[in-house]
Amino acid sequence: MREITLAVALLALASCTPGVPDSAAGVGFGDYQSYQQQRDAELQSSTIAPPPNVSSETLPGQQGAAGERPLSAMNTLPAGAETTPAGAGNQGADSAEAIAADAQAALNAATANSGEAPLEASPANPAPEAVNPLGISEENDFGAVDQQRSIEEDAEFIQENRARYEQIQPEALPERADTGPNLAAYALGTTHSVGTPLYTRIGINAEARYTRNCAKYASPDLAQADFLSKGGPQRDRMGLDPDGDGFACTWDPSPFRKAAQGASE
C-alpha cells in the first residue's frame, strides 16, 4: 500500500513541472536561423530615405521653363535619385554635387539684385582694414607723405614751416583803468587774522545792521570793496565791520596771501 501511494505522488509532481523551451528558437520566430535569414533580406533591400522638405517657400529670381524652385530643393535629391550606403558606387558623389550646385544657385539668386559681392568668410582671407571715420591727417600718415614727396622735399617743407613760425614777445600789462580799491593789495598789506580787533566801532544794534546790510551784496568781495571805498577800514558807516578787524562781512584775505606765497616759492 505504501508503494502505491508513493507512485501516485511522483506522477502528480511530474505533471506539475513546466516544460523547458527550446533555446534555439528566437523571439517571434520558429528558430534563430529563420530570424537571421529575414534580417539579411531586410538589410539587402533597405535604402536611405532622402531628407524631408524644409520649406515650400520659393526663391525669387529662379523663374524659367521649370518655374520657381522651392527652397527645399536645396535639401532634397533630384527626382529619381536615391542615396545608397557608402561603397555603392558614384551615385552618392553625384548627389552631393547636385546639392552643392543647388546651394550655389540659391546664393547667386540672393545676391543678384543687391549690387554687392557675397561675403566670403574664410580664415585664409585677410582681416578687413580698420578705417577711422574721422580720418587721419596726411601729415601724420607716412604712406600718404611718401607718395606726395621724397625725404629731401619733406625736409624742405619742414624748413619752410619753421621759417613761418613767429614767436610773440610778451608785453607789459596795461594799467588798471578803474580807481576802486585793490582787494589783493589790501589783503597783502595786512598780516593779522580775521576777528582781530584793530579799529574802534561804536553803534546801536550793530549785529542787526551787519546782517541786514551784508545781505545786500552778491559776494564778500563786493562788500569789502564798498567798505574800503567809503572810508574803511578806519570808518564803518554801514556797519559792515562790527568787530573792527578791517574785513567787511565774511571777507577773508587768506586766499590772496596763499596765492602770493605760492608764487614766491
Side-chain angles (χ1 to χ4, degrees), residues 12 46 175:
S46 65
E175 297 292 336

Side-chain angles (χ1 to χ4, degrees), residues 29-132:
F29 300 94
D31 53 29
Y32 185 77
Q33 184 177 2
S34 300
Y35 162 73
Q36 187 66 30
Q37 291 177 356
Q38 183 176 351
R39 181 174 178 276
D40 294 341
E42 291 177 353
L43 291 176
Q44 292 178 1
S45 61
S46 65
T47 58
I48 301 176
N53 292 342
V54 176
S55 172
S56 60
E57 183 182 357
T58 57
L59 288 174
Q62 290 294 324
Q63 296 182 356
E68 295 184 346
R69 302 178 62 189
L71 288 174
S72 58
M74 298 172 57
N75 299 323
T76 58
L77 298 178
E82 295 183 356
T83 303
T84 58
N90 295 330
Q91 187 174 0
D94 296 340
S95 300
E97 293 178 357
I99 294 176
D102 289 342
Q104 184 62 38
L107 179 61
N108 294 339
T111 59
N113 299 326
S114 63
E116 298 180 358
L119 178 62
E120 298 180 358
S122 172
N125 295 338
E129 182 181 358
V131 179
N132 184 359

